Amino acid sequence: MTSRDQTNVESFDLDHTLVLAPYVRVAGRKELPGGDVLIKYDVRFCQPNKEHLGMKAIHSIEHMTAHHMRNHTDALIDFSPMGCQTGFYALTLGLEPEAFMAILEATMNDLLRATEVPAANEVQCGWGANHSLQEAQEAVRIFLDRKDKWAQVMA
């Protein structure tokens, strides 16, 4: 397989040299047999191949968003970090972009007001010591400060 071949992974077919982070985009949409629609979002904090989030920041943003976003919606299925450490995937049940953006913004503001990272301990987390509220909040602050750019994916 060459670098230009199409794959069966949507994110592998995205030209990461053409995007301009931060952004939020629909990365997939799938209708289930019962009619429900899954919508997957690419929530990109950092410019691919130029910068990345530290592991403690990513881990803490993951925990805090998984917790706080569910206070705003029952439609969040999962919020997971990207292996490249540039952002997250949010999997939702029918949460359309306008509603998702509002919930994401409210959640990010919750993270800035947080005083602790939920479940950051050995009992509830596989690497409980690998968290930093401060690093997470700094990354979220930068992401929120640039929210006017979230809808623009391509440079």
Side-chain angles (χ1 to χ4, degrees):
M1 178 175 283
T2 69
S3 62
R4 297 201 183 260
D5 289 341
Q6 288 291 111
T7 71
N8 62 357
V9 179
E10 186 276 341
S11 65
F12 294 171
D13 293 333
L14 175 69
D15 187 336
H16 288 70
T17 66
L18 299 179
V19 299
L20 184 61
Y23 63 79
V24 179
R25 73 179 183 91
V26 173
R29 184 181 288 268
K30 182 175 185 166
E31 186 169 341
L32 301 176
D36 289 328
V37 177
L38 296 177
I39 304 173
K40 177 180 164 184
Y41 290 91
D42 171 345
V43 180
R44 195 72 62 144
F45 274 56
C46 298
Q47 184 63 32
N49 299 299
K50 303 289 184 198
E51 57 185 352
H52 67 278
L53 296 167
M55 280 307 301
K56 287 183 176 187
I58 280 185
H59 197 186
S60 297
I61 293 168
E62 173 201 10
H63 274 232
M64 294 193 312
T65 302
H67 172 79
H68 289 283
M69 190 174 280
R70 286 183 172 93
N71 293 331
H72 297 283
T73 182
D74 291 331
L76 179 67
I77 294 171
D78 188 42
F79 191 83
S80 305
M82 295 176 177
C84 61
Q85 298 176 236
T86 61
F88 303 86
Y89 286 115
L91 183 61
T92 70
L93 183 59
L95 199 55
E96 293 296 338
E98 186 176 337
F100 179 75
M101 294 286 211
I103 290 167
L104 180 64
E105 181 179 357
T107 301
M108 294 296 111
N109 280 308
D110 291 343
L111 271 58
L112 290 181
R113 292 186 295 271
T115 57
E116 66 180 1
V117 177
N121 60 68
E122 289 181 358
V123 173
Q124 296 174 290
C125 178
W127 193 6
N130 187 44
H131 289 279
S132 172
L133 177 64
Q134 180 181 359
E135 289 176 34
Q137 288 175 327
E138 180 57 28
V140 166
R141 188 172 291 105
I142 293 167
F143 183 67
L144 262 178
D145 284 348
R146 296 170 67 199
K147 73 177 177 172
D148 60 320
K149 308 281 188 209
W150 289 1
Q152 179 185 344
V153 176
M154 296 301 180

